[in-house]
Amino acid sequence: MLQSLKLALFPPKCNVCKAFFRVPQNDPDFKTRRVPSHGGGDGSGLSETFKQMMAPHLCSSCISDFLVIESPLCPQCGVMFAGRSGGDHLCGDCIKRSNKFTQARSAGMYNGSLLALVHRFKYHGRSELARPLGELLLHTYAQHWEPGIIDWVVPVPLHPRKLRRRGFNQSYLLVAKWTRYLSSQNGGHRVEIKPDILRRVRWTAPQTGLARGERQNNIKDAFGLADGVHVGNRSVLLVDDVYTTGATVTECARVLLTGGADRVDVLTLARAN
Protein backbone atom coordinates (compact mmCIF):
# COMPACT_ATOMS: atom_id res chain seq x y z
CA MET A 1 0.00 0.00 0.00
CA LEU A 2 2.73 2.44 1.01
CA GLN A 3 4.79 1.47 -2.03
CA SER A 4 1.78 2.07 -4.31
CA LEU A 5 1.19 5.48 -2.73
CA LYS A 6 4.84 6.38 -3.12
CA LEU A 7 4.82 5.42 -6.80
CA ALA A 8 1.63 7.41 -7.36
CA LEU A 9 3.04 10.54 -5.70
CA PHE A 10 6.60 10.18 -6.96
CA PRO A 11 6.55 8.26 -10.25
CA PRO A 12 9.92 6.99 -11.45
CA LYS A 13 11.87 8.58 -14.28
CA CYS A 14 12.71 6.51 -17.33
CA ASN A 15 16.40 5.55 -17.42
CA VAL A 16 16.56 6.24 -21.14
CA CYS A 17 14.34 9.18 -22.15
CA LYS A 18 14.03 10.68 -18.62
CA ALA A 19 10.24 10.97 -18.87
CA PHE A 20 8.18 10.29 -15.75
CA PHE A 21 6.03 7.18 -16.00
CA ARG A 22 3.81 4.97 -13.88
CA VAL A 23 4.89 1.42 -13.10
CA PRO A 24 2.20 -1.00 -14.35
CA GLN A 25 1.60 -2.77 -11.04
CA ASN A 26 -1.74 -4.15 -12.19
CA ASP A 27 -0.04 -5.99 -15.02
CA PRO A 28 0.19 -9.66 -13.95
CA ASP A 29 3.44 -10.01 -15.88
CA PHE A 30 4.95 -7.34 -13.66
CA LYS A 31 3.86 -9.03 -10.45
CA THR A 32 5.00 -12.56 -11.29
CA ARG A 33 8.44 -13.06 -12.78
CA ARG A 34 8.83 -16.27 -14.69
CA VAL A 35 11.52 -18.78 -13.78
CA PRO A 36 13.66 -19.40 -16.87
CA SER A 37 13.16 -22.77 -18.53
CA HIS A 38 15.82 -24.45 -20.64
CA GLY A 39 15.34 -25.10 -24.32
CA GLY A 40 15.12 -23.13 -27.46
CA GLY A 41 12.19 -20.74 -27.76
CA ASP A 42 11.81 -17.85 -30.07
CA GLY A 43 12.68 -14.21 -29.47
CA SER A 44 9.20 -13.37 -28.21
CA GLY A 45 10.08 -14.97 -24.88
CA LEU A 46 13.06 -12.69 -24.35
CA SER A 47 11.06 -9.66 -25.45
CA GLU A 48 8.50 -10.44 -22.75
CA THR A 49 11.28 -10.98 -20.23
CA PHE A 50 12.77 -7.59 -21.09
CA LYS A 51 9.36 -5.97 -20.63
CA GLN A 52 8.93 -7.71 -17.29
CA MET A 53 12.39 -6.94 -15.95
CA MET A 54 12.43 -3.34 -17.09
CA ALA A 55 8.93 -2.26 -16.09
CA PRO A 56 10.23 -0.40 -12.99
CA HIS A 57 13.07 1.24 -14.94
CA LEU A 58 11.76 2.23 -18.39
CA CYS A 59 8.65 3.83 -19.83
CA SER A 60 6.54 1.71 -22.18
CA SER A 61 7.91 3.48 -25.25
CA CYS A 62 11.54 2.74 -24.37
CA ILE A 63 10.68 -0.85 -23.39
CA SER A 64 9.31 -1.39 -26.91
CA ASP A 65 12.65 -0.19 -28.34
CA PHE A 66 14.40 -3.44 -27.34
CA LEU A 67 15.43 -5.62 -30.31
CA VAL A 68 15.95 -9.25 -29.35
CA ILE A 69 18.52 -11.44 -31.14
CA GLU A 70 16.69 -14.23 -32.96
CA SER A 71 16.99 -16.50 -35.99
CA PRO A 72 18.18 -16.38 -38.64
CA LEU A 73 21.61 -15.95 -37.08
CA CYS A 74 25.11 -17.38 -37.27
CA PRO A 75 25.17 -20.53 -35.09
CA GLN A 76 28.77 -19.84 -34.10
CA CYS A 77 29.22 -16.12 -33.34
CA GLY A 78 25.51 -15.39 -32.92
CA VAL A 79 25.30 -12.38 -35.25
CA MET A 80 21.74 -11.76 -36.42
CA PHE A 81 21.35 -11.46 -40.18
CA ALA A 82 19.70 -8.38 -41.63
CA GLY A 83 17.57 -10.53 -43.94
CA ARG A 84 14.79 -12.10 -41.88
CA SER A 85 14.12 -15.08 -44.14
CA GLY A 86 15.87 -18.43 -44.26
CA GLY A 87 17.53 -20.53 -41.58
CA ASP A 88 20.62 -20.18 -39.42
CA HIS A 89 23.95 -20.44 -41.27
CA LEU A 90 27.59 -19.47 -40.76
CA CYS A 91 28.38 -15.83 -41.42
CA GLY A 92 31.22 -14.76 -43.71
CA ASP A 93 33.53 -13.89 -40.79
CA CYS A 94 33.14 -17.31 -39.17
CA ILE A 95 33.75 -19.05 -42.50
CA LYS A 96 37.00 -17.10 -42.96
CA ARG A 97 38.40 -17.40 -39.43
CA SER A 98 38.56 -20.01 -36.71
CA ASN A 99 36.94 -18.87 -33.46
CA LYS A 100 38.23 -20.24 -30.19
CA PHE A 101 34.77 -20.49 -28.70
CA THR A 102 32.08 -23.00 -29.68
CA GLN A 103 29.11 -20.66 -29.77
CA ALA A 104 28.23 -17.11 -28.72
CA ARG A 105 24.77 -15.77 -27.95
CA SER A 106 23.41 -12.40 -26.85
CA ALA A 107 20.12 -11.16 -25.46
CA GLY A 108 19.59 -8.16 -27.73
CA MET A 109 21.07 -5.72 -30.19
CA TYR A 110 23.41 -3.08 -28.81
CA ASN A 111 21.27 -0.11 -29.75
CA GLY A 112 18.31 1.86 -28.48
CA SER A 113 17.21 1.16 -24.93
CA LEU A 114 19.63 -1.70 -24.29
CA LEU A 115 22.62 0.43 -25.29
CA ALA A 116 21.44 3.22 -22.98
CA LEU A 117 20.91 0.81 -20.09
CA VAL A 118 24.36 -0.75 -20.50
CA HIS A 119 25.90 2.73 -20.46
CA ARG A 120 23.95 3.74 -17.34
CA PHE A 121 24.99 0.53 -15.61
CA LYS A 122 28.59 0.42 -16.76
CA TYR A 123 29.73 4.03 -16.88
CA HIS A 124 27.37 5.84 -14.51
CA GLY A 125 27.43 3.48 -11.55
CA ARG A 126 23.75 2.46 -11.78
CA SER A 127 24.39 -0.87 -10.07
CA GLU A 128 20.68 -1.36 -9.34
CA LEU A 129 20.35 -2.28 -13.02
CA ALA A 130 22.51 -5.36 -12.45
CA ARG A 131 19.53 -7.37 -11.20
CA PRO A 132 17.09 -6.86 -14.12
CA LEU A 133 19.85 -7.03 -16.73
CA GLY A 134 21.25 -10.13 -15.03
CA GLU A 135 17.83 -11.78 -15.10
CA LEU A 136 17.49 -10.99 -18.79
CA LEU A 137 20.90 -12.60 -19.34
CA LEU A 138 19.85 -15.63 -17.29
CA HIS A 139 16.79 -16.15 -19.47
CA THR A 140 19.07 -15.92 -22.53
CA TYR A 141 21.35 -18.57 -21.04
CA ALA A 142 18.39 -20.86 -20.33
CA GLN A 143 17.07 -20.41 -23.87
CA HIS A 144 20.31 -21.43 -25.58
CA TRP A 145 21.99 -23.98 -23.27
CA GLU A 146 20.46 -27.23 -22.08
CA PRO A 147 21.24 -28.49 -18.53
CA GLY A 148 24.49 -30.38 -18.15
CA ILE A 149 26.47 -28.54 -20.82
CA ILE A 150 28.13 -25.83 -18.71
CA ASP A 151 30.34 -26.47 -15.66
CA TRP A 152 31.70 -23.00 -14.88
CA VAL A 153 30.35 -19.50 -15.48
CA VAL A 154 33.33 -17.15 -15.81
CA PRO A 155 32.91 -13.34 -16.06
CA VAL A 156 35.45 -11.47 -18.19
CA PRO A 157 37.75 -9.73 -15.66
CA LEU A 158 38.79 -6.08 -15.48
CA HIS A 159 42.33 -4.87 -14.94
CA PRO A 160 42.81 -4.10 -11.21
CA ARG A 161 43.34 -0.42 -12.02
CA LYS A 162 40.06 -0.21 -13.92
CA LEU A 163 38.27 -2.19 -11.22
CA ARG A 164 39.41 0.31 -8.58
CA ARG A 165 38.32 3.21 -10.78
CA ARG A 166 34.89 1.79 -11.65
CA GLY A 167 34.27 0.11 -8.31
CA PHE A 168 32.74 -3.07 -9.75
CA ASN A 169 33.11 -5.58 -12.55
CA GLN A 170 29.91 -5.28 -14.57
CA SER A 171 30.28 -8.78 -16.04
CA TYR A 172 30.42 -10.35 -12.58
CA LEU A 173 27.46 -8.35 -11.26
CA LEU A 174 25.34 -9.66 -14.15
CA VAL A 175 25.77 -13.27 -12.94
CA ALA A 176 26.32 -12.79 -9.20
CA LYS A 177 22.69 -13.68 -8.35
CA TRP A 178 22.49 -16.77 -10.55
CA THR A 179 23.63 -19.21 -7.87
CA ARG A 180 20.19 -20.32 -6.63
CA TYR A 181 18.89 -20.89 -10.14
CA LEU A 182 22.00 -22.76 -11.27
CA SER A 183 21.83 -25.08 -8.28
CA SER A 184 18.13 -25.88 -8.72
CA GLN A 185 17.59 -26.14 -12.47
CA ASN A 186 20.34 -28.43 -13.72
CA GLY A 187 19.17 -31.89 -12.64
CA GLY A 188 21.92 -32.32 -10.09
CA HIS A 189 24.67 -31.10 -12.43
CA ARG A 190 26.71 -28.56 -10.49
CA VAL A 191 27.32 -25.25 -12.24
CA GLU A 192 29.63 -22.84 -10.42
CA ILE A 193 30.22 -19.11 -10.87
CA LYS A 194 33.98 -18.57 -10.96
CA PRO A 195 34.88 -14.85 -10.94
CA ASP A 196 38.54 -15.46 -10.05
CA ILE A 197 39.55 -17.98 -12.73
CA LEU A 198 40.73 -15.39 -15.26
CA ARG A 199 42.72 -12.26 -14.50
CA ARG A 200 43.70 -9.25 -16.52
CA VAL A 201 47.49 -9.30 -16.55
CA ARG A 202 48.18 -6.35 -18.84
CA TRP A 203 46.71 -2.86 -19.05
CA THR A 204 45.26 -2.09 -22.48
CA ALA A 205 43.88 0.97 -24.20
CA PRO A 206 40.05 1.07 -24.48
CA GLN A 207 38.73 -1.08 -27.32
CA THR A 208 36.12 1.53 -28.27
CA GLY A 209 36.81 3.02 -31.69
CA LEU A 210 39.37 0.38 -32.72
CA ALA A 211 38.98 -1.73 -35.86
CA ARG A 212 38.88 -5.54 -35.61
CA GLY A 213 42.61 -6.03 -36.23
CA GLU A 214 43.52 -3.24 -33.84
CA ARG A 215 41.29 -4.77 -31.16
CA GLN A 216 42.96 -8.15 -31.59
CA ASN A 217 46.45 -6.66 -31.27
CA ASN A 218 45.40 -4.47 -28.35
CA ILE A 219 43.99 -7.36 -26.31
CA LYS A 220 46.63 -9.99 -27.19
CA ASP A 221 48.18 -11.58 -24.08
CA ALA A 222 46.10 -9.33 -21.82
CA PHE A 223 44.58 -12.26 -19.89
CA GLY A 224 45.92 -15.20 -17.94
CA LEU A 225 44.74 -17.90 -15.58
CA ALA A 226 44.95 -17.13 -11.89
CA ASP A 227 47.76 -18.85 -10.00
CA GLY A 228 46.99 -22.46 -9.17
CA VAL A 229 43.91 -22.68 -11.38
CA HIS A 230 43.31 -25.96 -13.22
CA VAL A 231 40.53 -25.78 -15.77
CA GLY A 232 40.64 -29.55 -16.18
CA ASN A 233 38.35 -30.51 -19.11
CA ARG A 234 35.51 -28.30 -17.89
CA SER A 235 32.99 -26.61 -20.12
CA VAL A 236 33.10 -22.86 -19.53
CA LEU A 237 30.52 -20.16 -20.20
CA LEU A 238 32.36 -16.86 -20.62
CA VAL A 239 30.17 -13.85 -19.77
CA ASP A 240 30.66 -10.22 -20.84
CA ASP A 241 28.39 -7.20 -21.26
CA VAL A 242 28.84 -6.49 -25.00
CA TYR A 243 30.08 -8.51 -27.98
CA THR A 244 31.52 -6.16 -30.61
CA THR A 245 34.14 -7.89 -32.78
CA GLY A 246 34.70 -10.82 -30.44
CA ALA A 247 38.37 -9.95 -29.86
CA THR A 248 38.13 -9.92 -26.05
CA VAL A 249 36.15 -13.14 -25.64
CA THR A 250 38.29 -14.89 -28.27
CA GLU A 251 41.45 -14.05 -26.32
CA CYS A 252 39.84 -15.19 -23.06
CA ALA A 253 38.69 -18.42 -24.73
CA ARG A 254 42.23 -19.04 -26.01
CA VAL A 255 43.62 -18.76 -22.48
CA LEU A 256 40.96 -21.10 -21.05
CA LEU A 257 41.44 -23.71 -23.79
CA THR A 258 45.21 -23.56 -23.41
CA GLY A 259 44.66 -24.10 -19.69
CA GLY A 260 42.75 -27.32 -20.33
CA ALA A 261 39.11 -26.31 -20.87
CA ASP A 262 37.17 -28.79 -22.96
CA ARG A 263 34.86 -26.16 -24.41
CA VAL A 264 34.27 -22.40 -24.12
CA ASP A 265 30.98 -20.71 -24.99
CA VAL A 266 30.17 -17.00 -24.83
CA LEU A 267 27.14 -15.18 -23.46
CA THR A 268 26.75 -11.40 -23.61
CA LEU A 269 23.98 -9.01 -22.79
CA ALA A 270 24.25 -7.09 -26.07
CA ARG A 271 25.52 -7.71 -29.60
CA ALA A 272 26.90 -4.82 -31.65
CA ASN A 273 26.23 -4.71 -35.39
Side-chain angles (χ1 to χ4, degrees):
M1 180 67 179
L2 289 176
Q3 180 66 12
S4 298
L5 181 60
K6 179 182 176 181
L7 289 173
L9 295 175
F10 306 103
K13 184 183 289 187
C14 178
N15 272 272
V16 174
C17 70
K18 302 303 181 182
F20 289 103
F21 69 99
R22 295 193 181 278
V23 177
Q25 291 193 353
N26 293 326
D27 185 343
D29 288 340
F30 174 74
K31 290 183 177 181
T32 306
R33 290 180 172 180
R34 296 171 301 151
V35 175
S37 58
H38 283 272
D42 58 22
S44 63
L46 284 181
S47 294
E48 286 302 309
T49 299
F50 184 81
K51 173 185 175 183
Q52 193 177 68
M53 297 301 108
M54 293 305 162
H57 305 281
L58 298 179
C59 68
S60 59
S61 176
C62 289
I63 283 177
S64 65
D65 195 34
F66 173 68
L67 180 59
V68 68
I69 301 285
E70 56 187 337
S71 292
L73 49 75
C74 173
Q76 188 166 69
C77 77
V79 66
M80 185 168 70
F81 297 117
R84 307 311 302 142
S85 61
D88 294 351
H89 58 276
L90 287 176
C91 68
D93 285 340
C94 288
I95 290 173
K96 289 185 292 186
R97 69 172 188 267
S98 176
N99 290 316
K100 298 297 182 183
F101 52 82
T102 301
Q103 70 169 16
R105 295 292 184 269
S106 304
M109 292 297 294
Y110 190 47
N111 56 26
S113 296
L114 187 57
L115 183 150
L117 286 169
V118 170
H119 280 216
R120 301 282 189 277
F121 170 48
K122 186 174 178 179
Y123 301 120
H124 299 282
R126 299 296 298 273
S127 58
E128 73 274 11
L129 293 172
R131 179 182 176 185
L133 290 174
E135 290 190 41
L136 175 66
L137 197 64
L138 179 58
H139 279 258
T140 310
Y141 162 70
Q143 178 173 302
H144 293 291
W145 282 270
E146 294 288 345
I149 294 177
I150 299 299
D151 300 311
W152 286 355
V153 176
V154 177
V156 171
L158 296 180
H159 189 275
R161 192 193 315 174
K162 181 171 285 187
L163 182 60
R164 286 193 297 270
R165 181 186 303 168
R166 183 171 294 166
F168 61 89
N169 178 354
Q170 72 279 357
S171 298
Y172 171 64
L173 287 188
L174 288 171
V175 301
K177 302 297 185 182
W178 286 18
T179 304
R180 180 178 297 179
Y181 172 81
L182 292 176
S183 64
S184 64
Q185 298 292 317
N186 283 278
H189 178 76
R190 188 179 183 186
V191 183
E192 299 178 84
I193 299 173
K194 294 285 190 177
D196 301 319
I197 296 300
L198 281 174
R199 56 194 182 96
R200 195 86 171 230
V201 298
R202 182 172 65 82
W203 176 263
T204 60
Q207 296 278 75
T208 305
L210 299 180
R212 182 189 299 274
E214 293 172 323
R215 284 173 175 257
Q216 292 171 340
N217 291 332
N218 185 48
I219 209 72
K220 184 175 174 57
D221 298 324
F223 299 93
L225 290 177
D227 294 340
V229 167
H230 302 285
V231 183
N233 298 319
R234 289 177 174 85
S235 179
V236 176
L237 181 68
L238 192 64
V239 175
D240 206 1
D241 55 339
V242 180
Y243 184 115
T244 305
T245 65
T248 297
V249 292
T250 294
E251 181 63 15
C252 288
R254 184 190 66 78
V255 171
L256 289 163
L257 291 169
T258 301
D262 183 58
R263 163 179 174 153
V264 178
D265 291 353
V266 176
L267 174 63
T268 62
L269 191 60
R271 183 62 153 83
N273 291 324

